[in-house]
Amino acid sequence: MATDEGVRLLLIGPPGSGKGTQAKQLTERYRVPHISTGDMLREQIRKGTSLGEEAKGYINDGNLVPDELILSMLRVRLSQSDSQGGYVLDGFPRSHAQAEALDALLERQGQNIKAAILLVLDDETIVKRLCNRRVCPECGRVYHLINHPPKTEDRCDEYHCRATLIQRPDDNETAIRNRLRIYHEQTQPVVAFYKEKGLLKAIDASREILRVQIDIERALEG
Ligand code: AP5
């Protein structure tokens, strides 16, 4: 029987804990795609698809998009050829039902998760981080007005992009606090799920970006 050598990593953590930021480093290191369910949904909204139209209200209010929509979108993505050698999955699973569905899918394919990385950060730091986040609508690069500002005010640093940065519609305090409430209620059980399997690596996400990156690398090596 063929051995499964793919590197499959899950990035779990509250909104704004740095999942997208750390995913970028991990995908470069392991040469696997970054699969973010949040980015995929925003792409559907940009394209004006029926899925995007359906998801928009949930996302802008900070609620979870229903499982059936997420699961059908993700099954298609994980069946694509670039995902066969592994991936960094960012923002999925977010509920116990999603974790069970991923487990079943992997089992059918004879594949394993290498680790579930949990980024740990307190709620008040998160509110401050997300209120100051700006994103590039063209290339998706993420900035922070204080911790990681663009070189030119309001402009993406990427040479071929230079688009005007925007604030995500769900990065307002009301939506952020709702996202946090949902994280504690619905995503926290996912943490216990992977802890029981011995796959959980908890990382202090309050430290600076490079430090968090090093801590993740050490946890994965260990
Ligand atoms: P999603 O896009 O996944 O949003 P999220 O989980 O709320 O996470 P964020 O993207 O807000 O934050 P992040 O952890 O990636 O942090 P980042 O690196 O940007 O989902 C959006 C919505 O889509 C959901 O609310 C839901 O509606 C829907 N959805 C998505 N997946 C779903 C699913 N599976 N099921 C159902 N619905 C789903 O960093 C944040 C900021 O902090 C940045 O400005 C960054 O520069 C800065 N920063 C990062 N690290 C550090 C550091 N160490 N120190 C200082 N600043 C830092």
Side-chain angles (χ1 to χ4, degrees), residues 13-22 36-39 41-42 55 58-60 62-67 70 90-94 98 119 129-130 132-134 142-145 147-148 168 170-171 179 205-209 212:
S17 54
K19 301 182 295 297
T21 303
Q22 295 300 330
S36 153
T37 43
D39 286 349
L41 290 166
R42 283 184 288 276
Y58 293 101
I59 296 178
N60 290 352
N63 293 317
L64 290 188
V65 172
D67 282 349
I70 294 287
D90 161 4
F92 184 97
R94 260 174 147 100
Q98 290 184 8
L119 297 180
R129 271 195 194 175
L130 289 183
N132 283 306
R133 173 166 62 181
R134 296 294 180 273
V142 176
Y143 298 86
H144 186 279
L145 294 181
N147 304 330
H148 179 42
R168 265 171 48 176
D170 57 345
D171 278 352
R179 285 153 71 194
S206 69
R207 307 177 83 185
E208 62 185 54
I209 294 173
V212 176

Side-chain angles (χ1 to χ4, degrees), residues 41-42 45 50-70 94 168-172 174-176 178-179 181-182 186:
L41 290 166
R42 283 184 288 276
I45 294 173
S50 55
L51 169 58
E53 282 305 308
E54 207 169 331
K56 194 171 13 188
Y58 293 101
I59 296 178
N60 290 352
D61 292 343
N63 293 317
L64 290 188
V65 172
D67 282 349
E68 58 275 19
L69 293 183
I70 294 287
R94 260 174 147 100
R168 265 171 48 176
D170 57 345
D171 278 352
N172 61 78
T174 311
I176 295 168
N178 192 37
R179 285 153 71 194
R181 183 184 59 78
I182 286 174
Q186 298 191 39

Side-chain angles (χ1 to χ4, degrees), residues 117-159:
I117 301 160
L118 170 68
L119 297 180
V120 181
L121 194 62
D122 67 275
D123 288 6
E124 292 316 307
T125 309
I126 285 169
V127 174
K128 279 193 213 127
R129 271 195 194 175
L130 289 183
C131 288
N132 283 306
R133 173 166 62 181
R134 296 294 180 273
V135 291
C136 175
E138 296 298 326
C139 70
R141 203 165 152 174
V142 176
Y143 298 86
H144 186 279
L145 294 181
I146 298 152
N147 304 330
H148 179 42
K151 292 190 184 98
T152 311
E153 203 181 339
D154 289 339
R155 291 265 167 206
C156 181
D157 289 347
E158 290 293 333
Y159 180 68

